């Protein structure tokens, strides 16, 4: 219950409509541009964003071994259990596990931190686009999300968000993907894709 309460407080701040990423004028420009493009019969509508729109829910460290090859799962789970119980290093991993369990996005300086505005933009995609695509960056790896109506984690798909890495940024893939394969499920609608 304590975890859910903390997550609820964090999500309430993230959903506060007073906070915006791009502002009312730009949201209206997206709506007008997408509506005109759809009306003219264009098959795709594209939004470029410096930050990601997908719900970046980190994998649960307590269950990450499930993604490893079967022959490595016990060893990885044993190591993860030891890390989770460590007083200092384990604190970060326990917080990450709680965030995964409560579907609380870890990155708040992208559209996850401005969920009310993101929800409005996704509703524009639903109403005023044929096939909406969001191209974005600002993370160290390549990411792919299916975006759902209202910013939900499931439901009616309204867009796809492709996130590209920085040119020289070292990604998580080099560190983790050798143990977990080329694509790691990132919870609802998302995947981390090795470059």
């Amino acid at each position: 219950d304590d975890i859910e309460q903390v997550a609820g407080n964090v999500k309430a701040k993230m959903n506060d409509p007073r906070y915006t990423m791009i502002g009312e004028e730009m949201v209206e420009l997206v709506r007008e541009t997408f509506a005109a493009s759809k009306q003219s019969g264009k098959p795709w509508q594209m939004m470029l964003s410096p930050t990601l729109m997908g719900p970046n829910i980190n994998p649960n460290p307590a269950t990450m071994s499930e993604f490893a090859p079967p022959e490595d799962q016990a060893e990885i789970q044993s190591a993860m259990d030891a890390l989770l119980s460590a007083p200092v290093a384990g604190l970060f991993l326990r917080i990450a596990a709680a965030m995964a369990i409560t579907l609380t996005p870890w990155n708040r300086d992208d559209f996850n931190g401005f969920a009310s505005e993101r929800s409005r933009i996704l509703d524009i995609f639903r109403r005023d686009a044929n096939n909406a695509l969001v191209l974005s960056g600002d993370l160290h790896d390549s990411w792919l999300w299916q975006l759902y109506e209202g910013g939900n984690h499931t439901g009616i798909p309204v867009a796809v968000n492709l996130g590209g890495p920085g040119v020289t940024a070292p990604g998580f893939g080099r560190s983790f993907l050798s143990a977990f394969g080329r694509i790691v499920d990132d919870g609802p609608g998302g995947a981390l894709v090795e470059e």
Side-chain angles (χ1 to χ4, degrees):
D1 287 339
D2 291 340
I3 292 172
E4 292 292 341
Q5 183 178 6
V6 170
N9 291 338
V10 170
K11 289 177 185 178
K13 290 202 181 294
M14 294 167 64
N15 280 296
D16 189 333
R18 295 178 296 170
Y19 303 114
T20 66
M21 171 70 78
I22 63 173
E24 186 61 37
E25 185 176 332
M26 289 302 294
V27 170
E28 183 58 22
L29 179 63
V30 169
R31 189 198 64 71
E32 290 172 0
T33 303
F34 274 41
S37 177
K38 180 180 179 179
Q39 187 174 23
S40 73
K42 302 283 192 258
W44 294 91
Q45 288 71 43
M46 187 181 311
M47 177 177 169
L48 302 178
S49 172
T51 63
L52 297 164
M53 222 178 236
N56 207 338
I57 309 295
N58 57 276
N60 184 343
T63 59
M64 280 180 64
S65 64
E66 296 170 5
F67 296 108
E71 63 274 11
D72 297 331
Q73 288 181 354
E75 184 178 347
I76 290 172
Q77 188 62 51
S78 177
M80 198 56 71
D81 289 343
L83 286 170
L84 282 161
S85 64
V88 178
L91 176 62
F92 172 77
L93 293 175
R94 291 188 299 274
I95 291 169
M99 292 173 75
I101 290 167
T102 60
L103 299 177
T104 304
W106 62 268
N107 199 359
R108 312 254 190 340
D109 63 349
D110 62 13
F111 273 97
N112 286 294
F114 305 90
S116 177
E117 185 176 66
R118 175 182 59 195
S119 179
R120 289 183 53 227
I121 294 169
L122 293 175
D123 287 342
I124 289 168
F125 294 168
R126 180 185 51 79
R127 278 190 326 270
D128 300 315
N130 290 319
N131 297 292
L133 175 64
V134 180
L135 296 177
S136 55
D138 196 29
L139 280 180
H140 295 263
D141 293 283
S142 299
W143 293 83
L144 169 66
W145 282 276
Q146 179 76 54
L147 302 176
Y148 297 98
E149 183 178 35
N152 297 315
H153 296 286
T154 60
I156 299 169
V158 297
V160 171
N161 184 189
L162 299 172
V167 175
T168 60
F172 297 113
R174 291 183 186 96
S175 302
F176 297 115
L177 291 183
S178 61
F180 297 104
R182 290 185 52 77
I183 299 178
V184 177
D185 180 9
D186 184 40
L192 164 66
V193 182
E194 184 176 23
E195 304 103 25

